[in-house]
Amino acid sequence: MPVFLFPPQEQRRKEIMDRLRSAELSYAPAGMTALPEVPPGMQTMNESVLLGYGPACFERACAALMEWQTHRLTWLRLHADGPPRVGQTVLLEAFFGPLTWVFGCRVVAVTDSPAEYGYTYGTLPGHPECGEERFQVDFHADQRVTFSLRAYSRPTGPLMRVAQPLATLAQRAGSKAYLRNMCRSTRASGS
């Protein structure tokens, strides 16, 4: 069930976050974005961008992901208690004029190695989509540093199915904004 706040209130956010911490994921199986095949009924989205070259660029990109830089948008705010970690619940607020739609996700995987860093989060009840999204930075053998997104999702409920074309546009716009934020964050921190 979606939750709207008008205007956003800190106490109400805390109550929602407390409830979401004990909620189950709204899909199965967790970790499906690591699977090579798209699960039945899920739409897929794959996007990537070249961030730059070399170890310093990779370090900046990893730091940006750890600080949730992807989600710093004018129409979206993410609340998290520190860098991504498995089991962590995050609260997202999407702004629509005077209303704020509040929903949550849970981090289901974190990858941290000398050549890749990333996290995957999955949707919780109340999210407009059902599925998961993976955010990953890779340091390639040729010194390229790339950022990629992979999402498997489907709409939740009849209203969201009717609004699917708009939801898909919003998801694509969000993904493009995540890519831009990673490019901007990586460049800005490297100057």
Side-chain angles (χ1 to χ4, degrees):
M1 171 108 158
V3 177
F4 288 97
L5 299 178
F6 177 77
Q9 301 168 350
E10 193 58 41
Q11 179 58 36
R12 184 71 174 118
R13 268 191 216 106
K14 183 182 177 333
E15 291 167 7
I16 295 166
M17 180 66 98
D18 288 345
R19 189 179 75 239
L20 289 172
R21 281 192 181 102
S22 62
E24 297 291 323
L25 294 171
S26 61
Y27 69 97
M32 67 181 164
T33 52
L35 302 173
E37 306 244 344
V38 179
M42 294 282 186
Q43 295 183 69
T44 185
M45 181 189 56
N46 288 295
E47 301 278 351
S48 66
V49 66
L50 175 66
L51 297 176
Y53 296 87
C57 180
F58 178 67
E59 288 176 23
R60 289 191 306 269
C62 292
L65 260 191
M66 285 181 210
E67 295 168 3
W68 304 95
Q69 292 290 324
T70 47
H71 291 77
R72 294 201 177 153
L73 309 174
T74 57
W75 54 272
L76 182 72
R77 183 175 303 138
L78 181 136
H79 299 273
D81 62 348
R85 66 184 183 285
V86 173
Q88 178 182 30
T89 299
V90 298
L91 191 70
L92 294 131
E93 295 178 329
F95 305 108
F96 302 98
L99 289 178
T100 302
W101 190 347
V102 181
F103 45 91
C105 291
R106 178 157 307 121
V107 177
V108 297
V110 173
T111 304
D112 190 358
S113 76
E116 59 185 11
Y117 176 79
Y119 65 90
T120 301
Y121 66 33
T123 58
L124 295 170
H127 196 291
E129 294 282 321
C130 170
E132 75 181 31
E133 194 162 16
R134 182 174 69 195
F135 302 78
Q136 185 161 316
V137 174
D138 289 294
F139 187 34
H140 302 271
D142 62 1
Q143 299 291 302
R144 283 179 305 124
V145 178
T146 58
F147 170 63
S148 60
L149 298 170
R150 184 176 204 182
Y152 291 163
S153 64
R154 68 174 182 267
T156 57
L159 179 61
M160 289 310 295
R161 276 191 283 284
V162 169
Q164 182 59 40
L166 291 175
T168 299
L169 285 175
Q171 186 180 40
R172 301 263 181 231
S175 297
K176 296 293 183 192
Y178 295 158
L179 295 169
R180 279 192 308 274
N181 276 359
M182 281 299 290
C183 289
R184 190 175 312 133
S185 297
T186 303
R187 273 194 311 270
S189 3
S191 303

